[in-house]
């Protein structure tokens, strides 16, 4: 299955040996050709993890996990690895694949100490911040969420709030073809504050939410997107937040960073003004532990010293880590109405 060929090229060829007939046959090739990867047999399917890719003299490592189903003779994608590695040791114990060591840099003989576990029957969904707290300018922030189970089996779910005071866990079930709502979910979990919210399930779900400011005349809200870990940013990714505003008494911008990965993450952040694109504050470093969320309140005013900047933007570079979620909240200071802007590569 795969491997290197002559002159720094690789193949995705997949060949099958039948011991009963002592013969070989060809199967559908891997979507991502690779070498030095690991493979395990799990739930009657073949899972292929990591490895190296080559093109001429360029070599890079692979995050992708691809799954071959012999019953349909087809490939599909699974959740990406927390970080790319090659030359990995692999084993399966009680339905869990374990990945041991491997090289964290292409063709460099430096071994990783990490042991990672992969469960094909655990589905996780994250949103970078959920809240039950009083904010600035008289705002009161709350989060509602809904989860829908469109499968034919009962979903066993665990909700985990990764707050600064520690993780809070609650378990629920969702019947087939039903939706469950969680009003003021952080408050219902007994927390006064905010954190990254993780939704774990043994069934695939549709999860969405809304974080809003609760005022005397109603609410002003913004959509909370729940995504799997591998939908976030990875090491060496660059992303941009545009359309940010900072004007005293009119608009303010907060930045939110969340680490949905399993290892420490480090980012460099640069703030820019729109006119001329000049940098205001460079190499601002953000370090996050797994599950940690950090909200930077009005960084244009506080870090860059520009309380009346007008329009600006930000650039984020991920130095280490995986599953990084980054967004901005642009808030109308007169109404506390917030708009979410998601970082884009």
């Amino acid at each position: 299955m795969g491997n290197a060929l002559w002159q720094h090229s690789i193949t995705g060829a997949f060949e099958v040996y039948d011991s009963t007939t002592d013969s070989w046959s060809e199967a559908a090739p891997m979507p991502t050709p690779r070498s030095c990867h690991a493979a395990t047999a799990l739930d009657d399917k073949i899972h292929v993890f990591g490895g190296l890719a080559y093109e001429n003299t360029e070599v890079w490592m692979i995050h992708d996990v691809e799954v071959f189903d012999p019953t349909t003779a087809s490939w599909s994608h699974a959740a990406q690895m927390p970080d790319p590695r090659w030359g990995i040791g692999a084993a399966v114990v009680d339905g869990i694949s374990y990945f041991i060591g491997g090289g964290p840099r292409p063709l460099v003989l430096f071994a990783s100490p990490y042991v990672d576990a992969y469960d094909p029957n655990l589905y996780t969904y994250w949103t970078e911040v959920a809240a039950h707290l009083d904010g600035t300018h008289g705002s009161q922030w709350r989060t509602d969420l809904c989860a829908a189970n469109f499968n034919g089996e009962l979903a066993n779910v665990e909700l985990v709030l990764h707050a600064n005071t520690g993780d809070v866990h609650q378990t629920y079930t969702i019947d087939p073809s039903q939706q469950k709502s969680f009003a003021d979910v952080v408050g219902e979990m007994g927390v006064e504050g905010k954190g990254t919210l993780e939704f774990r399930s043994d069934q695939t779900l549709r999860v969405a939410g809304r974080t809003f400011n609760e005022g005397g005349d109603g609410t002003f809200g913004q959509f909370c997107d729940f995504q799997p870990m591998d939908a976030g940013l990875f090491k060496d990714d660059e992303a941009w937040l545009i359309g940010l505003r900072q004007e005293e008494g009119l608009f303010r911008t907060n930045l939110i960073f969340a680490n949905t990965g399993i290892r420490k993450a480090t980012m460099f952040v640069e703030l820019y003004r729109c006119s001329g694109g000049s940098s205001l504050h460079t190499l601002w470093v953000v370090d996050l532990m797994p599950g940690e969320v950090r909200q930077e309140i009005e960084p244009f005013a506080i870090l860059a010293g520009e309380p009346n900047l007008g329009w600006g933007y930000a650039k984020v570079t991920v130095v280490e880590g995986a599953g990084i979620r980054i967004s901005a909240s642009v808030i109308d200071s007169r109404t506390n109405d917030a708009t979410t802007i998601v970082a884009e590569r």
Side-chain angles (χ1 to χ4, degrees), residues 306-334:
E306 294 278 355
N308 281 300
L309 171 75
W311 294 85
Y313 59 95
K315 176 186 176 183
V316 182
T317 303
V318 179
V319 181
E320 294 289 345
I324 310 304
R325 300 283 299 272
I326 302 169
S327 63
S329 187
V330 179
I331 307 165
D332 187 324
S333 296
R334 296 156 295 186

Side-chain angles (χ1 to χ4, degrees), residues 264-287:
K264 180 182 175 181
T266 299
M267 289 148 278
F268 289 160
V269 186
E270 299 171 84
L271 302 177
Y272 293 85
R273 59 166 53 90
C274 281
S275 58
S278 58
S279 177
L280 296 169
H281 193 88
T282 60
L283 295 186
W284 159 31
V285 180
V286 176
D287 290 317

Side-chain angles (χ1 to χ4, degrees), residues 165-189:
T165 54
D167 292 352
V168 180
H169 300 250
Q170 287 192 356
T171 57
Y172 307 89
T173 59
I174 305 176
D175 291 329
S177 302
Q178 296 293 316
Q179 172 181 279
K180 185 174 182 63
S181 60
F182 303 81
D184 187 16
V185 61
V186 177
E188 288 299 312
M189 297 177 80

